[in-house]
Amino acid sequence: MRLRALLETDALGLRLLGGEDELDRTVRGVMTTDLRDPSRYLSGGELVLTGLAWRRDAADSEPFVRILAGAGVAGLAAGEAELGDIPGDLVEACTHHRLPLFAVNETVAFATITEHVVRQVSGERAGDLAAVVDRHRRLMTSGPAGGGPEVVLDLLGSDLDLHAWVLSPTGRQIAGAGETSLPGPVGAALAGHHLAATRTGRRAPHRATVEGTTYSLFPIRNTGRGALPASRDVRESVLSDWLLAVEADASDWPSARLDLLQGVTQLIAVERDRRDAARTVRRRLAQEVLELVQTGAPPAEIAARLRVAAPVLLPGLGTAPHWQVVVARVEWGDTEGRSATGTPAGPGSSGSDIAGGPVAQALLEEILVDPAVTGPDTADRIAVAHTGEEAVALVPLPALGAPAPDRDAEHAEGPADGDAALHADVLLAAVREPLSAGLADDGRLTLGVSAAVHSPEGLRGALEEARHARRVAAARPGRVCAAGHHELASHVLLLPFVPDDVRRAFTARLLDPLRDYDRRHRAELIPTLETFLDCDGSWTRCAARLHLHVNTLRYRVGRIEQLTGRDLSRLEDKLDFFLALRMS
């Protein structure tokens, strides 16, 4: 469709503010955003809808419009609900960049425009689809949030007698028609079927029979914000996409009926896209806290950031919560760029080419939601960041009262091992089956959970503790593994909570002389020390591992003892070196 057609539709209530010469541009989609930089979610040809929440002052308009123009969007439609008249600086910026600008009357919901564009772009469909979409538009509530997936599913039931549910990749129910809920085990089994079929490249819809009932499974792919190019590896999105489960066998449906369901998935994808925008705030908070913790920021600075995060993650909470840290990592072992079935997986498909951090981030956001709770907005307590190849979740816990007896000082005021705290052994219980299907034979998920802490000083220790626990999980067999702080060895449990200044002083006193000597003489004293301790002080095994003569090894160990004043035949000195290496 052309931009010009939008002005000719009175129900949309659009008013052209600039760009009359550009109205023959083709609209290929629609996206709603209030991000200051939405470029990573744009693929070109979109009509961008915005409520102007990104605009703080006049200087913000030009860079925002420049980003849209550079991404090749078709036009910009700004709502009048918040600011009234559209600011002149935005009009000027759009004129400068030759970007058509529309004003959206405050009485018109963004959902109305979105669904009109989706319907037009999708082309002529069967009459029943047109009826469903049209009724859905009329039933949408005012405001950009719309009526939600439930409205679409209710119409599928009333108009077409189809029972359907929207499921997360783990099988958790996002939405359902009426009061009919899909049992948790059934949802998990359907998600597993869907993920396995997607990984093998089978064409949707996928047919699955669970407990004697046949379902057809349709992927709900993101076609707006954050959409991946079709050529990208399926593993980058398979663990985060929603699916539509319909209680019917679609294998003999006519093309018109299949088109109907594809249109419904597009409507739900638009709704998901709007709701996902709320995650950006929580992700940003988690990223800021994680960076402060990892860079050793003062506890007062971390505490200030936590005070900002607490009202967002736990609205209405009167006191500062306790916190737990969860670390997850998704790794793909497919180093030869082949799919689970042995067929080529496409461009950039080797496991090492897939960015694991974003995949783990989206997956961890889903795993941390209680599987018994339905709805798409139940993750509002979860802030997940990603750094490198791992995702880190900052999970707030409300105070649970008096501490359990005989607990260590760091956790003395933290939650007892009660219902509110996260436990590694139960986190993955409900999701292991579907995730194993999605990981197939070349993927792996490992997860570590820290103990709860009650102060900013404890967060760095909690982060290291969760990372240690994840490494414990990684040493176990299986596609989906988790470990908690209770499973860590004693020294691993204690080391994360040693104050930073004590760590630095202890390691510097023992290791700095060796590092300085290695820099000057390339003597490899530090690697020699690590191997010597790893071999339990055995001269022959250590020499063999280092490919050295035993006399050369004795010379190096003697140099270590001379530089540090320690005796590596003494258990106490061996232990000190061991701890120093672990803390460095």
Side-chain angles (χ1 to χ4, degrees):
M1 66 176 298
R2 307 283 183 179
L3 279 176
R4 190 180 304 279
L6 296 175
L7 286 175
E8 297 170 355
T9 306
D10 294 337
L12 300 184
L14 296 178
R15 181 163 47 91
L16 183 64
L17 299 181
E20 184 174 1
D21 295 338
E22 304 291 334
L23 291 180
D24 286 328
R25 293 186 180 187
T26 300
V27 180
R28 296 186 177 88
V30 63
M31 189 193 82
T32 301
T33 186
D34 276 312
L35 294 175
R36 303 184 75 180
D37 180 6
S39 58
R40 61 187 180 278
Y41 304 123
L42 297 170
S43 56
E46 296 93 350
L47 173 67
V48 175
L49 307 177
T50 180
L52 300 177
W54 51 265
R55 183 185 179 276
R56 299 172 185 171
D57 54 46
D60 291 334
S61 292
E62 207 288 331
F64 180 77
V65 174
R66 183 174 66 250
I67 289 170
L68 298 187
V73 304
L76 175 64
E80 296 178 322
E82 291 295 327
L83 302 180
D85 293 338
I86 304 304
D89 48 88
L90 181 59
V91 177
E92 181 179 350
C94 287
T95 300
H96 175 72
H97 289 280
R98 301 181 63 84
L99 182 67
L101 174 64
F102 302 89
V104 182
N105 191 281
E106 63 180 355
T107 62
V108 178
F110 281 1
T112 301
I113 301 172
T114 296
E115 291 174 7
H116 176 82
V117 172
V118 168
R119 185 169 68 250
Q120 295 299 320
V121 170
S122 299
E124 295 296 329
R125 292 198 180 101
D128 52 0
L129 174 60
V132 169
V133 173
D134 187 60
R135 285 188 59 193
H136 179 224
R137 180 188 62 78
R138 294 197 304 269
L139 290 175
M140 292 286 282
T141 59
S142 61
E150 292 82 3
V151 174
V152 185
L153 300 183
D154 283 338
L155 291 174
L156 282 178
S158 61
D159 286 21
L160 304 176
D161 197 26
L162 289 176
H163 300 290
W165 299 265
V166 178
L167 304 178
S168 77
T170 65
R172 182 176 62 89
Q173 181 174 316
I174 303 294
E179 298 180 356
T180 304
S181 295
L182 201 63
V186 175
L190 291 177
H193 280 290
H194 172 73
L195 291 173
T198 302
R199 286 300 313 276
T200 57
R202 285 164 47 198
R203 186 175 180 179
H206 308 130
R207 183 178 181 275
T209 300
V210 177
E211 296 183 1
T213 302
T214 299
Y215 300 85
S216 295
L217 311 176
F218 296 79
I220 300 175
R221 295 193 173 94
N222 192 347
T223 57
R225 293 162 43 101
L228 291 172
S231 61
R232 295 295 292 274
D233 195 306
V234 68
R235 290 173 292 185
E236 295 187 58
S237 60
V238 68
L239 296 178
S240 59
D241 283 345
W242 289 358
L243 68 136
L244 177 67
V246 181
E247 189 179 320
D249 186 351
S251 59
D252 58 353
W253 280 5
S255 58
R257 180 60 64 90
L258 291 174
D259 285 346
L260 182 153
L261 268 297
Q262 295 295 345
V264 168
T265 63
Q266 291 177 23
L267 291 174
I268 296 173
V270 171
E271 180 65 19
R272 179 190 178 173
D273 184 55
R274 282 199 295 263
R275 300 194 184 200
D276 278 353
R279 289 187 176 184
T280 60
V281 176
R282 299 193 296 272
R283 286 178 171 181
R284 185 166 61 249
L285 287 172
Q287 200 73 43
E288 291 173 352
V289 174
L290 177 61
E291 290 173 0
L292 290 175
V293 171
Q294 291 192 136
T295 56
E301 187 175 354
I302 299 176
R305 191 67 63 186
L306 291 177
R307 284 194 294 271
V308 173
V312 175
L313 301 177
L314 284 178
L317 190 66
T319 58
H322 307 278
W323 303 89
Q324 271 183 288
V325 176
V326 183
V327 172
R329 189 181 182 102
V330 174
E331 297 173 291
W332 303 101
D334 181 13
T335 57
E336 297 183 359
R338 304 192 69 80
S339 71
T341 58
T343 58
S349 63
S350 71
S352 60
D353 291 337
I354 300 175
V359 176
Q361 182 182 42
L363 191 54
L364 191 52
E365 286 171 333
E366 171 62 28
I367 290 173
L368 292 175
V369 178
D370 185 348
V373 178
T374 62
D377 298 323
T378 54
D380 57 358
R381 293 176 51 240
I382 299 163
V384 184
H386 72 82
T387 173
E389 293 300 304
E390 70 179 11
V392 179
L394 186 67
V395 183
L397 303 170
L400 299 182
D406 300 326
R407 307 189 73 210
D408 61 83
E410 172 57 36
H411 307 136
E413 298 179 26
D417 293 330
D419 293 338
L422 301 175
H423 295 273
D425 55 348
V426 298
L427 263 182
L428 298 180
V431 301
R432 181 172 277 107
E433 177 186 349
L435 291 186
S436 296
L439 293 164
D441 59 359
D442 60 351
R444 192 153 194 259
L445 166 69
T446 52
L447 185 145
V449 182
S450 79
V453 296
H454 70 282
S455 66
E457 292 87 349
L459 272 182
R460 178 165 182 179
L463 176 59
E464 293 193 26
E465 189 176 62
R467 282 173 170 161
H468 280 304
R470 193 206 64 79
R471 285 192 286 270
V472 170
R476 297 172 175 168
R479 289 289 168 197
V480 181
C481 298
H485 63 97
H486 296 298
E487 302 174 69
L488 301 182
S490 58
H491 73 275
V492 176
L493 180 61
L494 294 174
L495 288 184
F497 300 102
V498 176
D500 289 343
D501 55 346
V502 176
R503 285 168 174 258
R504 287 191 290 268
F506 182 76
T507 58
R509 188 163 54 247
L510 280 175
L511 302 182
D512 279 3
L514 306 182
R515 292 179 177 134
D516 292 340
Y517 192 87
D518 280 347
R519 278 194 294 268
R520 293 196 307 269
H521 302 284
R522 298 183 182 180
E524 298 188 354
L525 296 185
I526 292 289
T528 300
L529 176 62
E530 291 175 329
T531 306
F532 184 74
L533 295 175
D534 192 49
C535 293
D536 299 322
S538 169
W539 297 97
T540 54
R541 282 195 290 129
C542 182
R545 186 179 297 184
L546 292 173
H547 304 291
L548 297 175
H549 192 278
V550 173
N551 288 343
T552 304
L553 175 61
R554 291 185 184 276
Y555 170 81
R556 290 187 183 181
V557 170
R559 180 64 66 183
I560 291 171
E561 293 174 335
Q562 179 186 17
L563 291 170
T564 60
R566 299 300 186 105
D567 182 355
L568 277 168
S569 65
R570 287 167 41 85
L571 175 61
E572 294 87 345
D573 288 341
K574 286 180 182 176
L575 180 58
D576 283 348
F577 277 121
F578 173 79
L579 294 175
L581 289 168
R582 283 300 181 98
M583 288 191 292
S584 63

mmCIF file of all heavy atoms in Angstrom, residues 527-538 541-542 545 568 570-571 573-581:
data_model
loop_
_atom_site.group_PDB
_atom_site.id
_atom_site.type_symbol
_atom_site.label_atom_id
_atom_site.label_comp_id
_atom_site.label_asym_id
_atom_site.label_seq_id
_atom_site.Cartn_x
_atom_site.Cartn_y
_atom_site.Cartn_z
ATOM 1 N N PRO A 527 52.404 -19.816 35.324
ATOM 2 C CA PRO A 527 51.872 -21.090 34.805
ATOM 3 C C PRO A 527 52.480 -22.313 35.478
ATOM 4 O O PRO A 527 51.804 -23.317 35.700
ATOM 5 C CB PRO A 527 52.235 -21.047 33.309
ATOM 6 C CG PRO A 527 52.393 -19.598 32.991
ATOM 7 C CD PRO A 527 52.951 -18.977 34.233
ATOM 8 N N THR A 528 53.760 -22.219 35.817
ATOM 9 C CA THR A 528 54.414 -23.342 36.508
ATOM 10 C C THR A 528 53.778 -23.566 37.871
ATOM 11 O O THR A 528 53.509 -24.717 38.277
ATOM 12 C CB THR A 528 55.915 -23.067 36.662
ATOM 13 O OG1 THR A 528 56.506 -22.914 35.376
ATOM 14 C CG2 THR A 528 56.603 -24.206 37.408
ATOM 15 N N LEU A 529 53.540 -22.488 38.605
ATOM 16 C CA LEU A 529 52.917 -22.593 39.922
ATOM 17 C C LEU A 529 51.531 -23.213 39.814
ATOM 18 O O LEU A 529 51.168 -24.093 40.609
ATOM 19 C CB LEU A 529 52.846 -21.204 40.563
ATOM 20 C CG LEU A 529 52.124 -21.115 41.909
ATOM 21 C CD1 LEU A 529 52.832 -21.961 42.964
ATOM 22 C CD2 LEU A 529 52.025 -19.664 42.358
ATOM 23 N N GLU A 530 50.718 -22.752 38.838
ATOM 24 C CA GLU A 530 49.365 -23.282 38.665
ATOM 25 C C GLU A 530 49.404 -24.791 38.378
ATOM 26 O O GLU A 530 48.642 -25.562 38.977
ATOM 27 C CB GLU A 530 48.659 -22.552 37.518
ATOM 28 C CG GLU A 530 48.325 -21.103 37.828
ATOM 29 C CD GLU A 530 47.745 -20.387 36.624
ATOM 30 O OE1 GLU A 530 48.119 -20.733 35.479
ATOM 31 O OE2 GLU A 530 46.924 -19.476 36.821
ATOM 32 N N THR A 531 50.293 -25.204 37.514
ATOM 33 C CA THR A 531 50.374 -26.627 37.161
ATOM 34 C C THR A 531 50.897 -27.451 38.331
ATOM 35 O O THR A 531 50.414 -28.569 38.585
ATOM 36 C CB THR A 531 51.287 -26.811 35.937
ATOM 37 O OG1 THR A 531 50.836 -25.966 34.887
ATOM 38 C CG2 THR A 531 51.283 -28.256 35.463
ATOM 39 N N PHE A 532 51.858 -26.912 39.052
ATOM 40 C CA PHE A 532 52.430 -27.625 40.204
ATOM 41 C C PHE A 532 51.348 -27.896 41.239
ATOM 42 O O PHE A 532 51.246 -29.011 41.786
ATOM 43 C CB PHE A 532 53.564 -26.799 40.800
ATOM 44 C CG PHE A 532 54.294 -27.484 41.925
ATOM 45 C CD1 PHE A 532 55.174 -28.527 41.685
ATOM 46 C CD2 PHE A 532 54.095 -27.081 43.241
ATOM 47 C CE1 PHE A 532 55.846 -29.161 42.727
ATOM 48 C CE2 PHE A 532 54.759 -27.705 44.293
ATOM 49 C CZ PHE A 532 55.644 -28.749 44.023
ATOM 50 N N LEU A 533 50.521 -26.892 41.530
ATOM 51 C CA LEU A 533 49.448 -27.079 42.510
ATOM 52 C C LEU A 533 48.376 -28.018 41.962
ATOM 53 O O LEU A 533 47.802 -28.822 42.708
ATOM 54 C CB LEU A 533 48.831 -25.730 42.875
ATOM 55 C CG LEU A 533 49.755 -24.754 43.607
ATOM 56 C CD1 LEU A 533 49.065 -23.411 43.809
ATOM 57 C CD2 LEU A 533 50.191 -25.334 44.956
ATOM 58 N N ASP A 534 48.093 -27.915 40.649
ATOM 59 C CA ASP A 534 47.080 -28.781 40.047
ATOM 60 C C ASP A 534 47.512 -30.246 40.077
ATOM 61 O O ASP A 534 46.672 -31.149 40.089
ATOM 62 C CB ASP A 534 46.816 -28.328 38.604
ATOM 63 C CG ASP A 534 45.586 -28.991 38.014
ATOM 64 O OD1 ASP A 534 44.535 -28.993 38.683
ATOM 65 O OD2 ASP A 534 45.679 -29.498 36.883
ATOM 66 N N CYS A 535 48.830 -30.472 40.096
ATOM 67 C CA CYS A 535 49.367 -31.843 40.170
ATOM 68 C C CYS A 535 49.625 -32.271 41.604
ATOM 69 O O CYS A 535 50.342 -33.268 41.849
ATOM 70 C CB CYS A 535 50.657 -31.944 39.366
ATOM 71 S SG CYS A 535 50.415 -31.762 37.583
ATOM 72 N N ASP A 536 49.056 -31.528 42.549
ATOM 73 C CA ASP A 536 49.191 -31.864 43.978
ATOM 74 C C ASP A 536 50.646 -31.935 44.432
ATOM 75 O O ASP A 536 51.003 -32.742 45.304
ATOM 76 C CB ASP A 536 48.488 -33.188 44.285
ATOM 77 C CG ASP A 536 47.003 -33.142 43.990
ATOM 78 O OD1 ASP A 536 46.380 -32.084 44.242
ATOM 79 O OD2 ASP A 536 46.471 -34.137 43.479
ATOM 80 N N GLY A 537 51.504 -31.115 43.813
ATOM 81 C CA GLY A 537 52.903 -31.068 44.226
ATOM 82 C C GLY A 537 53.736 -32.222 43.724
ATOM 83 O O GLY A 537 54.872 -32.415 44.201
ATOM 84 N N SER A 538 53.228 -32.985 42.770
ATOM 85 C CA SER A 538 53.990 -34.109 42.232
ATOM 86 C C SER A 538 54.993 -33.584 41.207
ATOM 87 O O SER A 538 54.605 -33.020 40.183
ATOM 88 C CB SER A 538 53.049 -35.126 41.572
ATOM 89 O OG SER A 538 53.787 -36.077 40.825
ATOM 90 N N ARG A 541 54.732 -35.682 37.666
ATOM 91 C CA ARG A 541 53.536 -35.384 36.869
ATOM 92 C C ARG A 541 53.563 -33.955 36.351
ATOM 93 O O ARG A 541 53.174 -33.681 35.221
ATOM 94 C CB ARG A 541 52.270 -35.619 37.702
ATOM 95 C CG ARG A 541 51.908 -37.093 37.823
ATOM 96 C CD ARG A 541 50.499 -37.293 38.327
ATOM 97 N NE ARG A 541 50.354 -36.911 39.711
ATOM 98 C CZ ARG A 541 49.419 -36.098 40.190
ATOM 99 N NH1 ARG A 541 48.545 -35.554 39.370
ATOM 100 N NH2 ARG A 541 49.349 -35.820 41.476
ATOM 101 N N CYS A 542 54.006 -33.029 37.190
ATOM 102 C CA CYS A 542 54.063 -31.624 36.779
ATOM 103 C C CYS A 542 55.079 -31.438 35.654
ATOM 104 O O CYS A 542 54.807 -30.740 34.663
ATOM 105 C CB CYS A 542 54.413 -30.749 37.969
ATOM 106 S SG CYS A 542 54.466 -28.987 37.581
ATOM 107 N N ARG A 545 53.641 -32.792 32.421
ATOM 108 C CA ARG A 545 52.602 -31.944 31.845
ATOM 109 C C ARG A 545 53.182 -30.698 31.200
ATOM 110 O O ARG A 545 52.687 -30.234 30.177
ATOM 111 C CB ARG A 545 51.580 -31.553 32.919
ATOM 112 C CG ARG A 545 50.382 -30.797 32.359
ATOM 113 C CD ARG A 545 49.371 -30.441 33.426
ATOM 114 N NE ARG A 545 48.791 -31.622 34.043
ATOM 115 C CZ ARG A 545 47.823 -31.568 34.964
ATOM 116 N NH1 ARG A 545 47.374 -30.384 35.379
ATOM 117 N NH2 ARG A 545 47.344 -32.681 35.487
ATOM 118 N N LEU A 568 57.029 -24.203 49.190
ATOM 119 C CA LEU A 568 55.975 -24.984 48.556
ATOM 120 C C LEU A 568 55.916 -26.432 49.028
ATOM 121 O O LEU A 568 55.099 -27.210 48.530
ATOM 122 C CB LEU A 568 56.130 -24.936 47.036
ATOM 123 C CG LEU A 568 55.524 -23.682 46.387
ATOM 124 C CD1 LEU A 568 55.939 -23.541 44.944
ATOM 125 C CD2 LEU A 568 54.006 -23.717 46.500
ATOM 126 N N ARG A 570 55.316 -26.823 52.215
ATOM 127 C CA ARG A 570 54.416 -26.634 53.361
ATOM 128 C C ARG A 570 52.973 -26.533 52.872
ATOM 129 O O ARG A 570 52.670 -25.814 51.910
ATOM 130 C CB ARG A 570 54.772 -25.358 54.130
ATOM 131 C CG ARG A 570 56.047 -25.452 54.955
ATOM 132 C CD ARG A 570 56.492 -24.066 55.420
ATOM 133 N NE ARG A 570 55.399 -23.221 55.865
ATOM 134 C CZ ARG A 570 54.891 -23.226 57.098
ATOM 135 N NH1 ARG A 570 55.414 -24.044 58.008
ATOM 136 N NH2 ARG A 570 53.917 -22.415 57.423
ATOM 137 N N LEU A 571 52.052 -27.228 53.526
ATOM 138 C CA LEU A 571 50.646 -27.212 53.149
ATOM 139 C C LEU A 571 50.079 -25.794 53.230
ATOM 140 O O LEU A 571 49.321 -25.361 52.357
ATOM 141 C CB LEU A 571 49.845 -28.154 54.051
ATOM 142 C CG LEU A 571 48.318 -28.148 53.837
ATOM 143 C CD1 LEU A 571 47.977 -28.592 52.416
ATOM 144 C CD2 LEU A 571 47.634 -29.057 54.863
ATOM 145 N N ASP A 573 51.533 -22.872 52.841
ATOM 146 C CA ASP A 573 51.963 -22.021 51.740
ATOM 147 C C ASP A 573 51.325 -22.462 50.416
ATOM 148 O O ASP A 573 50.985 -21.628 49.575
ATOM 149 C CB ASP A 573 53.487 -22.044 51.637
ATOM 150 C CG ASP A 573 54.145 -21.274 52.784
ATOM 151 O OD1 ASP A 573 53.443 -20.454 53.417
ATOM 152 O OD2 ASP A 573 55.341 -21.492 53.044
ATOM 153 N N LYS A 574 51.175 -23.764 50.234
ATOM 154 C CA LYS A 574 50.476 -24.234 49.042
ATOM 155 C C LYS A 574 49.047 -23.693 49.012
ATOM 156 O O LYS A 574 48.544 -23.245 47.965
ATOM 157 C CB LYS A 574 50.433 -25.767 49.017
ATOM 158 C CG LYS A 574 51.740 -26.447 48.661
ATOM 159 C CD LYS A 574 51.529 -27.961 48.669
ATOM 160 C CE LYS A 574 52.835 -28.697 48.371
ATOM 161 N NZ LYS A 574 52.671 -30.168 48.459
ATOM 162 N N LEU A 575 48.386 -23.734 50.168
ATOM 163 C CA LEU A 575 47.002 -23.260 50.239
ATOM 164 C C LEU A 575 46.924 -21.767 49.954
ATOM 165 O O LEU A 575 46.032 -21.305 49.237
ATOM 166 C CB LEU A 575 46.414 -23.567 51.617
ATOM 167 C CG LEU A 575 44.959 -23.139 51.853
ATOM 168 C CD1 LEU A 575 44.038 -23.791 50.832
ATOM 169 C CD2 LEU A 575 44.527 -23.490 53.276
ATOM 170 N N ASP A 576 47.882 -20.991 50.471
ATOM 171 C CA ASP A 576 47.883 -19.549 50.211
ATOM 172 C C ASP A 576 48.035 -19.265 48.722
ATOM 173 O O ASP A 576 47.341 -18.397 48.159
ATOM 174 C CB ASP A 576 49.010 -18.874 50.994
ATOM 175 C CG ASP A 576 48.666 -18.708 52.464
ATOM 176 O OD1 ASP A 576 47.476 -18.899 52.808
ATOM 177 O OD2 ASP A 576 49.570 -18.398 53.263
ATOM 178 N N PHE A 577 48.950 -19.953 48.076
ATOM 179 C CA PHE A 577 49.127 -19.758 46.634
ATOM 180 C C PHE A 577 47.859 -20.169 45.867
ATOM 181 O O PHE A 577 47.448 -19.491 44.916
ATOM 182 C CB PHE A 577 50.322 -20.566 46.130
ATOM 183 C CG PHE A 577 51.644 -19.896 46.326
ATOM 184 C CD1 PHE A 577 52.652 -20.485 47.071
ATOM 185 C CD2 PHE A 577 51.900 -18.646 45.755
ATOM 186 C CE1 PHE A 577 53.881 -19.864 47.241
ATOM 187 C CE2 PHE A 577 53.121 -18.024 45.919
ATOM 188 C CZ PHE A 577 54.119 -18.628 46.669
ATOM 189 N N PHE A 578 47.254 -21.267 46.272
ATOM 190 C CA PHE A 578 46.033 -21.742 45.614
ATOM 191 C C PHE A 578 44.927 -20.691 45.692
ATOM 192 O O PHE A 578 44.271 -20.368 44.690
ATOM 193 C CB PHE A 578 45.581 -23.049 46.268
ATOM 194 C CG PHE A 578 44.246 -23.550 45.788
ATOM 195 C CD1 PHE A 578 44.137 -24.222 44.577
ATOM 196 C CD2 PHE A 578 43.099 -23.344 46.539
ATOM 197 C CE1 PHE A 578 42.909 -24.683 44.128
ATOM 198 C CE2 PHE A 578 41.862 -23.789 46.090
ATOM 199 C CZ PHE A 578 41.768 -24.464 44.884
ATOM 200 N N LEU A 579 44.725 -20.138 46.880
ATOM 201 C CA LEU A 579 43.681 -19.123 47.057
ATOM 202 C C LEU A 579 44.012 -17.845 46.301
ATOM 203 O O LEU A 579 43.128 -17.203 45.718
ATOM 204 C CB LEU A 579 43.484 -18.824 48.542
ATOM 205 C CG LEU A 579 42.929 -19.981 49.383
ATOM 206 C CD1 LEU A 579 42.891 -19.593 50.855
ATOM 207 C CD2 LEU A 579 41.537 -20.379 48.897
ATOM 208 N N ALA A 580 45.265 -17.463 46.291
ATOM 209 C CA ALA A 580 45.667 -16.248 45.571
ATOM 210 C C ALA A 580 45.394 -16.385 44.081
ATOM 211 O O ALA A 580 44.912 -15.449 43.428
ATOM 212 C CB ALA A 580 47.148 -15.955 45.817
ATOM 213 N N LEU A 581 45.684 -17.546 43.527
ATOM 214 C CA LEU A 581 45.424 -17.763 42.098
ATOM 215 C C LEU A 581 43.932 -17.753 41.812
ATOM 216 O O LEU A 581 43.482 -17.235 40.776
ATOM 217 C CB LEU A 581 46.037 -19.094 41.658
ATOM 218 C CG LEU A 581 47.571 -19.129 41.584
ATOM 219 C CD1 LEU A 581 48.055 -20.567 41.417
ATOM 220 C CD2 LEU A 581 48.076 -18.268 40.431
#
